[in-house]
Amino acid sequence: MHDQPRWRGHAVACVAAIALAGCVGTSSQHPRAVEPDSGPPSKAYGRAFLAEALHTYRFIVDPDITGPVQQTGMRLVAAIGADPAAIHFFVIDEPQPNAFAIPGGYIFVFTGLLSKLSDEEELAGVLAHELGHVSYNHFFQDQNQILAMNLATVAALLLSRGNPAALAFGSGASYHLQLAYSREHEAEADAAAVTFLRRAHYDPSGLARFFRTLEVYERFNPPSVPAYFTTHPGVSERLGVVENMIQGTPPRGVESGAIDWGRVRASLGVVPESPSPSPRDRYLRGIAHMKNQRVAPAIEEFRAALAVEPRNAAARADLAWALLSDQRRDEARDEARRAQRDDPHLAEPSVTLGILSQDAGDHQAAIREFLAAASNDPYDPTTHLRLASSYSALGDSTREAYHLGRHFRLSLMPGRAAAAYQRFLNAPDADPETKRAVEQELALIQREGI
């Protein structure tokens, strides 16, 4: 098994555990929440909440959306020296502009919030703030009260729609607990966020811009205040505090991220509208069309963008995928090969070429392409599913089991991932080094619940 992917350390393990694939959905493979029985109480509650959330929310599994969230989050985690295997970032398909953290290092961002962010710095501000709550172990103001509640009540509080800040239960009591942080907690999280952003070489003014965006939203949507305001009160006041914190201290050593935020927004359905669209506008429109399965207009937009910018490898890679989706295989192959030559670090051309090889029955060639794609993009579990398919066609059940395990874990199906990994461990020809890595992953699934 010499070509078997090797373990790349805790950071990649954590990113892999929370990266998602190309659509939205839920799975019936997740166990229901259970009472905490081992490990730190915060981790046990977080793990149990996550199991419940996987049944309740629709988790985004499009790596064009989740990948940037993981990259930004892990950059912050690395900068503050936290354990990357213990912090998890998720994207949930909900229209409210909301984000929240729960005990144990589980951070959730709603698509409604992502669609309102203008750039990576604003996203970093959101995640840094939630990491502040995690680092201070903020949750309910009354820890004794939460410990006296069963997990079904906790999950109901956290997962409720509408007004999650107040729920009435059978006892007649009304709990105002949904992340009802005090001013002191919010001030601590904001101060921590500014520090974290500077350590990660992000411009902390992104946090202030984020607050301004929410302030405008609150002004024009008073009847239905989004969850972010019920869970994070005093936005206007906190905006002023954050602005004072960063005033007079220009960012030092700010590093530009490699994230294409326009692509993120296009994947969420936010596209530029202009009577005279630029090549960039047309490219983003093409992305939005493809996300909605509108293949013909996507091809038209990609070709228009390439007519002006023929060396745009990303647009050419997306054109190749659109052509493949339209069953224009020869054209797809030509465009994918050219995109691969122009930018060998793109995963998409390798995926297209791998599928073409797979369809032609050349599974060895398909495996080479899919392994290259997985190396360039660790956020797409469907690549591992395709690898499993080709290894199965070649009669290699050991590698098939390994890549099925990767697929299921990346797709947030921990139960099925564990079963596939166990099948890999039981194989007599399992590579010893990969075996040790899988054993570590199984231990993480048990500890983290994902």
Side-chain angles (χ1 to χ4, degrees), residues 196-217:
F196 295 167
L197 290 165
R198 286 175 172 150
R199 287 182 186 174
H201 300 287
Y202 278 116
D203 184 350
S205 66
L207 179 61
R209 292 200 305 274
F210 162 65
F211 282 146
R212 290 191 202 102
T213 298
L214 287 184
E215 189 178 39
V216 171
Y217 184 93

Side-chain angles (χ1 to χ4, degrees), residues 1-4 388 391 396-404:
M1 300 180 67
H2 298 294
D3 61 344
Q4 187 70 35
Y391 279 124
D396 190 336
S397 59
T398 302
R399 288 188 178 93
E400 175 198 356
Y402 173 83
H403 287 286
L404 278 177

Side-chain angles (χ1 to χ4, degrees), residues 115 236 446:
S115 66
S236 296
Q446 183 178 12

Side-chain angles (χ1 to χ4, degrees), residues 1-13 16 371 374-375 378 384 387 391 399 402-403 406 421 424 429-438 440-441:
M1 300 180 67
H2 298 294
D3 61 344
Q4 187 70 35
R6 304 300 186 186
W7 192 252
R8 300 184 182 181
H10 289 298
V12 173
L371 287 174
S375 176
H384 289 281
L387 278 164
Y391 279 124
R399 288 188 178 93
Y402 173 83
H403 287 286
R406 297 299 300 140
Y421 278 151
F424 169 81
D429 59 339
D431 173 71
E433 185 178 345
T434 307
K435 197 170 181 179
R436 287 191 293 272
V438 167
Q440 292 180 46
E441 286 210 49

Side-chain angles (χ1 to χ4, degrees), residues 5-22 61-64 66-68 70-71 74 345-348 351 370-385 387 402-403 405-412 421 441:
R6 304 300 186 186
W7 192 252
R8 300 184 182 181
H10 289 298
V12 173
C14 179
V15 171
I18 54 182
L20 316 172
V61 291
D62 182 347
D64 281 335
T66 60
Q70 314 311 326
Q71 292 176 49
M74 285 297 106
H345 299 294
L346 289 175
E348 290 85 352
V351 171
F370 291 141
L371 287 174
S375 176
N376 284 327
D377 182 4
Y379 302 105
D380 190 351
T382 57
T383 300
H384 289 281
L385 183 62
L387 278 164
Y402 173 83
H403 287 286
R406 297 299 300 140
H407 165 72
F408 288 131
R409 191 167 187 222
L410 293 169
S411 300
L412 298 180
Y421 278 151
E441 286 210 49

